[in-house]
Amino acid sequence: MSNGSVERRIRRRSVHRSRSTAVAVALVVLALVAAWIGTESVLRAIGRPPLLADPQTAVDAALQPDAAFVTIAEVIAVVLVVLGIVLIVLALKPGRQHRSVVQHDRGAVVIDTRIVASTAANAAGTAAGVPEGNASATARGRRTDVRIVPVTGIPVDEHAVQAAVRDRLSGLDERFGRNIRVRVDEKGTLA
């Protein structure tokens, strides 16, 4: 196995969420159902009364249903369909963590989006000339939203803030500096 494939696998595992919890829950439910069917079958074979329902009685009731059985079967079917849809969505959706991979000459570096947001807020606050608590940012994927609360009486140039954030984030990786939105609040705070 080459060093490149190992590095790609490490990057993928760092950025994508594991699906092992959903798989474990599905397997536990399947094991419990199988254990119940096995237990009921053994109890019927040795002539004991069933724990919940005799499998043969359930099959006979399914072949000649009454109104109560049909209602119970419909409820169970709806629950199974919803569970199936949830499991299909969990299997198909990407399951991304809030992390991004940045290429580096020594290998890949994984950066949490909170680091990107903090870097953007710091750059925005410095460019706007506001106190540290007056600049905040959020980063989702390749998009960064910056919010500035100006100091009363001191105007904030949105374009200068956007350029400063773009420059700082492009220093991490050029992809982070592409989609930046700056919003300056109308009401400011006292210094």
Side-chain angles (χ1 to χ4, degrees):
M1 194 178 309
S2 71
N3 192 24
S5 65
V6 171
E7 186 175 309
R8 275 193 306 275
R9 188 173 344 127
I10 290 171
R11 273 187 274 163
R12 176 160 171 65
R13 286 188 178 203
S14 297
V15 175
H16 291 80
R17 189 175 298 127
S18 171
R19 293 181 177 96
S20 61
T21 303
V23 170
V25 168
L27 289 176
V28 166
V29 169
L30 186 63
L32 289 174
V33 169
W36 170 71
I37 290 173
T39 302
E40 295 292 4
S41 299
V42 169
L43 289 175
R44 179 171 171 85
I46 62 174
R48 298 285 189 137
L51 291 175
L52 298 175
D54 181 22
Q56 186 61 45
T57 306
V59 169
D60 292 341
L63 294 176
Q64 298 174 351
D66 62 345
F69 182 80
V70 170
T71 304
I72 291 171
E74 288 172 347
V75 169
I76 291 172
V78 167
V79 168
L80 289 176
V81 165
V82 169
L83 181 65
I85 290 171
V86 167
L87 289 175
I88 288 171
V89 167
L90 286 174
L92 296 179
K93 78 176 198 173
R96 291 201 38 103
Q97 299 276 29
H98 297 292
R99 299 179 186 146
S100 296
V101 176
V102 176
Q103 295 298 329
H104 191 271
D105 53 341
R106 291 177 134 185
V109 176
V110 178
I111 297 179
D112 193 87
T113 54
R114 290 176 289 198
I115 301 291
V116 175
S118 176
T119 302
N122 184 293
T126 302
V130 297
E132 185 176 318
N134 288 22
S136 62
T138 58
R140 296 278 303 178
R142 303 287 176 244
R143 180 179 178 160
T144 305
D145 294 322
V146 178
R147 179 176 169 253
I148 303 286
V149 179
V151 176
T152 303
I154 301 175
V156 173
D157 182 10
E158 287 185 36
H159 298 295
V161 171
Q162 189 170 17
V165 172
R166 180 173 287 115
D167 289 345
R168 182 81 61 91
L169 292 183
S170 293
L172 293 175
D173 191 330
E174 70 276 351
R175 295 172 297 166
F176 296 134
R178 290 185 187 154
N179 193 359
I180 298 167
R181 189 175 73 179
V182 176
R183 185 172 51 99
V184 178
D185 287 358
E186 291 180 19
K187 295 182 179 181
T189 60
L190 297 175

